[in-house]
């Protein structure tokens, strides 16, 4: 009989499609990145990321409550300080904006993990992710700044610290400093394979963190490299990373799969600001079916192997899943 195979049998009705579906999105998959701005009294819209805001502490709390209510299990906080300086001192100040935000959120005892981004670029006047020497980021002095930042975030109550700077050796030193100070249970989610990507453009507008000279190619990875991504991932796991991240997600789905198949730790993927902006602006132009594109995009990242997805759609998608 021809055709020998009839795969369409398993697509004939919603019921059978539901039965054989291989990948499912759940609210638990999502981590919600949020911006918090020092001194802000009301949320300020981010032009390059329609629907996202620079929050003050009050609106941050409300957004966190909504996320918890919808079943999201993690928030990732980015701070925007009032003043940036050469040393990025706002990153590790005891009363820094992220430290204040973490304390405020921990008071709420929400059923979700508070994750802090460990990096210098939002806090330095030059917009680079560490200390500068000869117009480049100097690796080893930067490690001290990063470790101090992670420690101050843990002291404020962060459950998970997420170094996103791409300096060599940061995971090891952060683990050691946390352990030495009694924070051996604080989790490290490392941005292990973070590529030097144009997809971070809208984020840099949001956080005012674009480099004032040069670019990030001497520390973030070359988008052309797959095997090097594994080298970075293995190094971070060996240094103590509990979870690893691939970033961005969509142009790097092959890397997500590779990392998933090669490791035994949870793998996260970051559906970054440029990926978000492309959907939002294409939808505003009437070119795409926004809601279906969002679901298909997130599903593709999960199918590629991500256990966790950092996405600005976390709250919206968790709500949608809850209703379905
Ligand atoms: C900080 C950091 C960046 C992002 C997350 N952490 C920006 C960068 O590396 O320039 C980007 C997130 C996004 O684009 O959504 N280093």
């Amino acid at each position: 009989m021809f055709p020998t195979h009839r795969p369409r049998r398993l697509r004939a009705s919603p019921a059978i499609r539901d039965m054989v579906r291989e990948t499912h999105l759940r609210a638990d998959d999502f981590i919600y990145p949020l911006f918090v701005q020092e001194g802000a009294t009301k949320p300020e819209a981010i032009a390059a990321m329609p629907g996202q805001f620079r929050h003050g502490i009050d609106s941050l709390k409300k957004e966190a409550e909504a996320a918890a209510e919808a079943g999201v299990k993690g928030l990732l906080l980015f701070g925007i300080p009032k003043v940036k300086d050469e040393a990025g001192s706002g990153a590790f100040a005891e009363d820094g904006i992220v430290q204040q935000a973490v304390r405020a959120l921990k008071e709420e005892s929400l059923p979700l993990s508070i994750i802090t981004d460990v990096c210098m670029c939002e806090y330095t006047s030059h917009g680079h992710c560490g200390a500068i020497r000869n117009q480049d980021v100097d690796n080893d002095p930067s490690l001290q700044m990063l470790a101090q930042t992670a420690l101050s975030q843990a002291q404020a109550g962060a459950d998970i610290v997420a170094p996103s700077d791409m300096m060599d050796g940061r995971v090891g030193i952060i683990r050691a400093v946390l352990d030495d100070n009694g924070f051996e249970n604080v989790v490290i989610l490392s941005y292990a394979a973070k590529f030097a990507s144009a997809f971070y453009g809208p984020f840099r507008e949001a956080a005012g963190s674009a480099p004032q000279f040069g670019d990030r190619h001497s520390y973030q990875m070359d988008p052309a490299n797959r095997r090097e991504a594994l080298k970075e991932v293995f190094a971070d796991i060996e240094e103590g990373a509990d979870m690893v991240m691939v970033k961005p997600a969509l142009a790097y789905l092959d890397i997500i799969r590779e990392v998933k198949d090669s490791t035994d730790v949870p793998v996260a993927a970051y559906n970054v600001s440029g990926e978000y902006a492309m959907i939002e602006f294409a939808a505003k132009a009437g070119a795409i079916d926004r809601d279906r594109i969002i679901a298909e995009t997130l599903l593709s990242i999960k199918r590629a192997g991500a256990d966790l997805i950092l996405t600005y759609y976390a709250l919206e998608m968790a709500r949608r899943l809850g209703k379905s």
Side-chain angles (χ1 to χ4, degrees), residues 253-281:
L253 293 174
D254 58 325
I255 310 286
I256 297 172
R257 171 50 57 193
E258 192 89 43
V259 171
K260 180 58 175 275
D261 288 345
S262 315
T263 60
D264 56 6
V265 298
V267 175
Y270 201 142
N271 176 218
V272 298
S273 58
E275 299 169 8
Y276 176 87
M278 288 197 307
I279 294 178
E280 291 304 310
F281 287 108

Side-chain angles (χ1 to χ4, degrees), residues 33 35 49 76 78 117-122 127-129 162-166 191 194-204 207 209-211 216 219-220 245 247-248 270-276 310 312:
F35 299 94
M49 301 173 69
L76 172 64
F78 293 103
D117 188 82
V118 181
C119 199
M120 306 309 296
C121 61
E122 296 111 76
H128 278 287
C129 304
S164 71
D165 52 284
M166 289 302 277
Y191 288 67
K194 176 171 176 178
F195 291 87
S197 172
F199 284 96
Y200 310 146
F203 174 97
R204 292 181 190 168
S209 64
R216 305 211 202 288
Y219 44 104
Q220 298 180 350
M245 192 197 301
K247 179 184 171 198
Y270 201 142
N271 176 218
V272 298
S273 58
E275 299 169 8
Y276 176 87
L310 298 104
Y312 302 98

